[in-house]
Amino acid sequence: MSEFDPVIIAFVCNWCTYTAADLAGTSRLTYPPNVRLIRVMCTGMVDPQYVLKALLEGADAVLVSGCHPGDCHYINGNFKARRRIKLLKEILPRFGFDPQRLRLTWIGASDGVQFAGVMNDLVAQIRQLGPNQAKLQMVI
Ligand code: FES
């Protein structure tokens, strides 16, 4: 039996995590190819609807990752994201999703090693959790 290959949607801030992903690539660090990066200007612009839509359309997990607290280029966008993710995690079970399918991280532009580590860790965690039930229902 083949290993479950999760699809993870990652909303990453242009200024920090996206740059860290680029650094990981140029540093030839390896991480699973399961993550689809969506570059946004700031985590503060990640509407909760984007997260719900990704999960409802079959993503196995969603990552939101941006600048460390205090480093946001738009002053407080990442604090807004943190509040939204906290609330989203509370309502996800009402949609039938395990809150572990949503993760928020801070990865700075020079943290290519951390970026690869988070991706490896997240993919391993979602493999243990299993496929998103919404995706299974679409297949049936
Ligand atoms: S600019 Fe990176 S999180 Fe706001």
Side-chain angles (χ1 to χ4, degrees):
M1 193 171 121
S2 63
E3 190 177 30
F4 161 53
D5 223 9
V7 173
I8 296 170
I9 302 296
F11 295 99
V12 295
C13 161
N14 175 63
W15 305 103
C16 295
T17 306
Y18 186 81
T19 308
D22 200 27
L23 179 62
T26 53
S27 305
R28 297 178 183 252
L29 299 171
T30 56
Y31 58 90
N34 306 63
V35 185
R36 315 289 191 265
L37 296 183
I38 298 176
R39 179 163 52 164
V40 295
M41 291 309 287
C42 174
T43 54
M45 69 161 290
V46 178
D47 191 305
Q49 289 183 69
Y50 302 167
V51 173
L52 290 173
K53 185 171 167 54
L55 291 171
L56 288 168
E57 293 194 358
D60 295 299
V62 174
L63 171 72
V64 177
S65 185
C67 307
H68 289 273
D71 288 348
C72 177
H73 284 54
Y74 305 97
I75 302 169
N76 60 2
N78 51 6
F79 291 120
K80 289 176 182 166
R82 185 165 64 187
R83 286 197 294 270
R84 287 182 190 140
I85 297 297
K86 185 175 186 304
L87 289 171
L88 264 170
K89 279 180 169 280
E90 287 175 22
I91 65 163
L92 280 183
R94 294 185 200 173
F95 287 85
F97 298 117
D98 189 314
Q100 291 180 74
R101 293 191 186 279
L102 174 60
R103 189 186 285 193
L104 174 68
T105 58
W106 312 129
I107 302 175
S110 60
D111 295 335
V113 172
Q114 186 191 353
F115 176 85
V118 166
M119 298 307 140
N120 283 314
D121 180 61
L122 184 57
V123 169
Q125 180 195 347
I126 300 304
R127 275 203 175 113
Q128 279 199 328
L129 204 57
N132 174 356
Q133 294 303 309
K135 180 161 57 181
L136 294 179
Q137 286 167 6
M138 286 191 317
V139 172
I140 293 171

